[in-house]
Amino acid sequence: MTWTIDIPERLGEEFAHLTPAGRRAVYDACRQLAQDPTINATSEPVRGADLRRVTTDPTTGTGDRITLLYRIHHDEGRVELIFLIAGP
């Protein structure tokens, strides 16, 4: 099964501030999530929601790691990105 990845417009500015290597890391993470959103992810303890967190490998050049917080909508077959954090 391939999952649909929803990226809300409000994250557009966050993506714009990433380096090209950072954007590539997010792209690779989303490709992985589309295959299996539970692999290599940490579950977040939030009652009533299936929230997960995944962190990328360090990016080339800056060494930044990007953490994606997302929600799995099992019944709809989609993954909703909620937040991303980039930094060393």
Side-chain angles (χ1 to χ4, degrees):
M1 172 181 187
T2 300
W3 295 73
T4 301
I5 308 296
D6 287 340
I7 302 172
E9 274 189 52
R10 63 181 169 71
L11 292 181
E13 189 173 331
E14 301 300 323
F15 284 109
H17 291 291
L18 295 175
T19 64
R23 287 191 293 276
R24 179 59 190 206
V26 170
Y27 171 79
D28 290 343
C30 286
R31 272 191 20 210
Q32 176 186 341
L33 292 177
Q35 296 304 310
D36 185 354
T38 61
I39 198 164
N40 296 328
T42 304
S43 202
E44 294 296 322
V46 177
R47 192 173 25 187
D50 188 3
L51 290 181
R52 305 281 175 134
R53 175 175 43 98
V54 67
T55 301
T56 67
D57 290 332
T59 59
T60 56
T62 63
D64 287 347
R65 290 181 181 267
I66 300 164
T67 299
L68 303 170
L69 180 67
Y70 60 95
R71 182 175 184 187
I72 300 174
H73 297 272
H74 292 281
D75 55 334
E76 300 172 21
R78 69 184 178 98
V79 174
E80 174 188 9
L81 290 187
I82 295 175
F83 200 69
L84 68 95
I85 302 169

